[in-house]
Amino acid sequence: QVQLVESGGGSVQAGGSLRLSCAVSGVRYSEYCWAWFRQAPGKEREWVSSIYTGGSTTYKDSVRGRFTISKDNAKETQYLQMNSLKPEDTAMYYCATSGPWLDCPSIASRYKYWGQGTQVTVSS
């Protein structure tokens, strides 16, 4: 059974930082590409960042330079370090994966496994 469990969300003021974690079980972790998405109230879920099996990373333009995705294969956990947070970063954040050796596209419907989400609230 595949499980993705996010943690690390919270409430911060603009300019602050948070580090999200996503602990994974039930898969051969190193064979998967991992992504972070977010969804604000009344908006569609949007892709934020991905990290591929070899460690390469991609970012949404609005977070590039502020957010850093990383992973620890031994701990089967990926992270999203979020710095210089802005009120527009407020959303529920989800980790997700599509499947072994598959891509990590920016389209949410392409993903098979999702965590339950962790809330990030940034106040001005």
Side-chain angles (χ1 to χ4, degrees):
Q1 180 181 0
V2 181
Q3 285 192 320
L4 287 69
V5 180
E6 301 97 335
S7 60
S11 296
V12 297
Q13 290 191 328
S17 299
L18 286 172
R19 188 176 85 150
L20 307 183
S21 300
C22 177
V24 179
S25 61
V27 299
R28 291 187 178 182
Y29 181 87
S30 61
E31 296 179 357
Y32 287 66
C33 175
W34 301 98
W36 287 94
F37 282 76
R38 66 187 181 187
Q39 188 168 18
K43 296 187 177 181
E44 291 191 356
R45 192 167 296 191
E46 65 176 7
W47 171 80
V48 175
S49 180
S50 297
I51 185 164
Y52 290 79
T53 54
S56 60
T57 58
T58 53
Y59 296 93
K60 178 180 176 65
D61 286 346
S62 63
V63 308
R64 187 177 294 111
R66 300 188 296 122
F67 291 10
T68 303
I69 191 172
S70 62
K71 64 174 179 172
D72 186 329
N73 286 343
K75 294 183 178 180
E76 300 186 331
T77 300
Q78 62 270 16
Y79 307 94
L80 187 67
Q81 177 66 45
M82 305 186 296
N83 299 329
S84 302
L85 282 161
K86 303 176 180 180
E88 52 263 43
D89 295 318
T90 294
M92 185 73 79
Y93 283 71
Y94 300 89
C95 60
T97 189
S98 50
W101 306 116
L102 295 179
D103 200 4
C104 270
S106 60
I107 303 171
S109 61
R110 296 278 300 276
Y111 288 76
K112 182 176 182 180
Y113 301 110
W114 292 86
Q116 83 289 347
T118 187
Q119 177 68 38
V120 172
T121 303
V122 185
S123 58
S124 58

